[in-house]
Amino acid sequence: MRNALSLLFFSAVTIPMLNGCGNRSMAIGTCSGGACLAIITPVSISMTDSPPSGVSVLFYQIKLSAAALNPVSGTPVSLLPVDSGPNGSSMPIPIDLTQLQAVSQFLSTVNVAPGVYSSLSLTFSNPLLVIYNASDSAIASSCAIGSVCQIAPTMNNSATVNLNAPPFPVSATAYNPLSFLVDFHLDNMLQPDFSLNLGTANGVTIAQIPASTTATAQEFGTITGSVFNSNSGSNQFTIETPDIRLYTIDSSNGAAYNNFPASACSTGSTACFAYGQSIRVQVDSLGTFGNLYTSQVAYIQAPNEQTVEGTIINMVPSPTNIAGAPPLQLSLLIHGNPSNSSSLPPGAVATVTFATYPSFSVDTNGFQLPAGITFANGSDLIVGQNVQMKIVAGSLSVLSGQPPSSNWSTPQSVS
């Protein structure tokens, strides 16, 4: 099922837990001559999932409300950022698993004290599904064959999962990053009535990721957000995510700058950045003190521009006979927008009208595309494709309520 649905979904969500973001760190320290050095262990979590049989998951979002690393003795350590309010509560992190295919998404950072930890506890909330019923029967009598259904599943047991199987217990040693991969098996957890059973056998599993010297950059993941500030002298910059999390990134290892227009810079460097500019950063490695390094920075949009990302679900053909002409309209299942506009909520459907011939480009993110793959004009647009679109004012409208089935087309086969 994973291969058959490769146009539609998921791979991994990474939650490298290191330093910063207002987290309360647990650390002990050594002091000499009045100077103290905290002894810390950077900890990371990654998440992936598997799709359910007979169902194409077009959109799947769930929030990680709490994550705690549990020591053999002592107080659990929260691995989520803490807000700036008077209660200092954890900030739930929305995870769009359908946006991820061959990369991970970097979510949060914290340092923990060295020691032995017996388990990892994760609490989830607010699941939301948009599915296409590709099976040969109605699902739970509410989602007809060949139709698309928007669902807010209930969780029919505790929303907290305690992961204590191997590799636990684990020993966290000073300055040696510790990383885990949590596998979220939707195919096992999604029940016939659309409820989620987080406690089912093999519903959520865990494995340990190799040390950063052997792990790939894709395992650490990407961060999408806007430039908060930059310092070209130190090759560092800070990115702010749509849910108001800040990360300081170091690009001194020779990062590549992709898709930046000539108007932004002539040579790729932190000098290309402007406040409010939307970018996507590939986290390449984690330092011994939890500092983040990048290998790839991709340009998304200039400040005050509107970009939307999503899956094409329907197209109205162009009335012209010109080869390569864009469709008259297309329907887009929204996965996100870098500016975090409340008028474009994830999981909603937007209608995009083409008034002129748009430009087409491929964000390779540093990958070498196989020969023969092109994305140059309207002929290259297909249903089931994930795209990022820069929106001209007045060309996009969002449908309210449950979209009728007539707004959806069966995804095309790709050979």
Side-chain angles (χ1 to χ4, degrees), residues 21 110 159 199 212 220 316:
C21 290
V110 73
S212 59
F220 292 110
V316 178

Side-chain angles (χ1 to χ4, degrees), residues 131 133 137-152 191-195 402 405:
I131 67 170
N133 184 3
S137 61
I139 299 177
S141 72
S142 61
C143 189
I145 300 172
S147 65
V148 171
C149 307
Q150 295 176 328
I151 306 161
Q191 304 301 299
D193 62 355
F194 290 139
S195 64
Q402 181 87 1
S405 296

Side-chain angles (χ1 to χ4, degrees), residues 262-278:
S263 58
C265 58
S266 57
T267 302
S269 71
T270 52
C272 296
F273 296 143
Y275 176 78
Q277 188 181 67
S278 294

Side-chain angles (χ1 to χ4, degrees), residues 14 31 49 81 93-94 109 115 134 150 165 169 229 245 255 260 269 339-340 352 378 407:
T14 299
C31 298
D49 56 37
I93 299 177
T109 66
Q150 295 176 328
N229 60 44
R245 287 175 287 126
F260 280 80
S269 71
S339 57
N340 200 31
V352 180
N407 280 9

Side-chain angles (χ1 to χ4, degrees), residues 40-389:
I40 49 87
T41 301
V43 176
S44 72
I45 311 172
S46 298
M47 189 176 297
T48 187
D49 56 37
S50 303
S53 178
V55 173
S56 294
V57 179
L58 303 174
F59 176 80
Y60 173 33
Q61 177 178 278
I62 195 167
K63 289 186 177 180
L64 181 61
S65 300
L69 195 60
N70 304 307
V72 171
S73 63
T75 304
V77 185
S78 174
L79 301 182
L80 294 191
V82 176
D83 65 24
S84 58
N87 297 325
S89 57
S90 295
M91 298 167 56
I93 299 177
I95 303 170
D96 182 1
L97 297 170
T98 46
Q99 274 289 77
L100 309 171
Q101 189 162 353
V103 295
S104 306
Q105 180 182 339
F106 194 98
L107 295 182
S108 186
T109 66
V110 73
N111 286 319
V112 307
V116 179
Y117 292 86
S118 59
S119 65
L120 175 68
S121 298
L122 303 173
T123 302
F124 299 96
S125 63
N126 302 106
L128 178 63
L129 290 172
V130 178
I131 67 170
Y132 174 77
N133 184 3
S135 69
D136 56 2
S137 61
I139 299 177
S141 72
S142 61
C143 189
I145 300 172
S147 65
V148 171
C149 307
Q150 295 176 328
I151 306 161
T154 60
M155 288 183 283
N156 59 8
N157 61 347
S158 172
T160 298
V161 178
N162 189 49
L163 302 171
N164 54 15
F168 289 105
V170 297
S171 295
T173 58
Y175 314 120
N176 291 312
L178 186 62
S179 303
F180 303 105
L181 178 67
V182 177
D183 199 340
F184 198 82
H185 297 274
L186 181 61
D187 54 343
N188 293 333
M189 287 185 290
L190 189 61
Q191 304 301 299
D193 62 355
F194 290 139
S195 64
L196 287 178
N197 184 356
L198 296 177
T200 190
N202 294 319
V204 183
T205 57
I206 189 168
Q208 189 167 349
I209 298 176
S212 59
T213 53
T214 57
T216 65
Q218 286 71 34
E219 288 178 297
F220 292 110
T222 63
I223 304 172
T224 299
S226 59
V227 175
F228 188 77
N229 60 44
S230 63
N231 186 330
S232 58
S234 64
N235 290 313
Q236 291 187 338
F237 61 95
T238 301
I239 184 172
E240 181 179 21
T241 64
D243 52 336
I244 321 299
R245 287 175 287 126
L246 295 174
Y247 300 95
T248 297
I249 311 294
D250 193 307
S251 60
S252 59
N253 285 352
Y257 291 77
N258 302 323
N259 304 328
F260 280 80
S263 58
C265 58
S266 57
T267 302
S269 71
T270 52
C272 296
F273 296 143
Y275 176 78
Q277 188 181 67
S278 294
I279 59 175
R280 180 175 289 110
V281 177
Q282 172 70 57
V283 178
D284 181 54
S285 61
L286 315 176
T288 55
F289 290 95
N291 41 322
L292 309 181
Y293 292 90
T294 182
S295 60
Q296 304 279 342
V297 181
Y299 177 90
I300 297 178
Q301 68 181 33
N304 303 317
E305 287 185 342
Q306 179 63 70
T307 299
V308 65
E309 299 175 352
T311 303
I312 298 173
I313 56 177
N314 183 272
M315 293 192 295
V316 178
S318 170
T320 70
N321 294 321
I322 301 175
L328 181 65
Q329 286 184 337
L330 63 77
S331 296
L332 196 70
L333 175 62
I334 299 173
H335 287 281
N337 64 94
S339 57
N340 200 31
S341 171
S342 59
S343 64
L344 299 171
V349 176
T351 297
V352 180
T353 302
F354 289 85
T356 59
Y357 281 77
S359 60
F360 289 75
S361 64
V362 179
D363 180 5
T364 63
N365 198 30
F367 292 100
Q368 181 66 44
L369 293 178
I373 294 181
T374 61
F375 189 70
N377 55 50
S379 299
D380 296 324
L381 293 171
I382 60 174
V383 170
Q385 197 173 52
N386 288 330
V387 295
Q388 176 181 290
M389 307 180 71

